[in-house]
Amino acid sequence: MKKKISSNVDVMLVNRYGITVKKCCASCQHKCLDDFANRKCELTGHKVRSKYKCDDWQMCEQLELMGCERGRVQRREYQLTLMEVRASESLAMQRGLTITPKKLEDIQQEFETEHGSRFLIH
């Protein structure tokens, strides 16, 4: 008795920088979202599910470039600092206070003065 291979099997591919990418509509160059944030195929115009795989699949450019030397990973501490600053600004505005949000460059500079580089990987 032959085993039937399920079409639900996840296919994983590796981009040119060694990053593993799952082959599905969500990682395809031809995916697009309509006005209601429903996923559809740019080639066929049909509505598709995120895990759908077809013969026209092609890795999207963003995933193909993921891992290249241009990318840098920010430290979690910096991300949390930025979120804290923006949350306190939002809270002040909700309370009716007139404030000028800090410039991103100023937040970055303050963080780097106190903690060093905001990047984990350069």
Side-chain angles (χ1 to χ4, degrees), residues 13-21 64 66-68:
L13 302 170
V14 177
N15 74 3
R16 67 180 94 167
Y17 300 103
I19 305 294
T20 304
V21 176
E64 187 62 50
M66 186 169 42
C68 73

Side-chain angles (χ1 to χ4, degrees), residues 7-43:
S7 62
N8 291 334
V9 174
D10 290 339
V11 176
M12 305 301 279
L13 302 170
V14 177
N15 74 3
R16 67 180 94 167
Y17 300 103
I19 305 294
T20 304
V21 176
K22 183 177 179 180
K23 182 178 179 179
C24 62
C25 180
S27 62
C28 182
Q29 179 69 33
H30 307 295
K31 77 163 183 294
C32 61
L33 299 175
D34 66 14
D35 294 337
F36 303 102
N38 295 314
R39 186 183 314 275
K40 68 178 188 176
C41 179
E42 200 173 59
L43 297 177

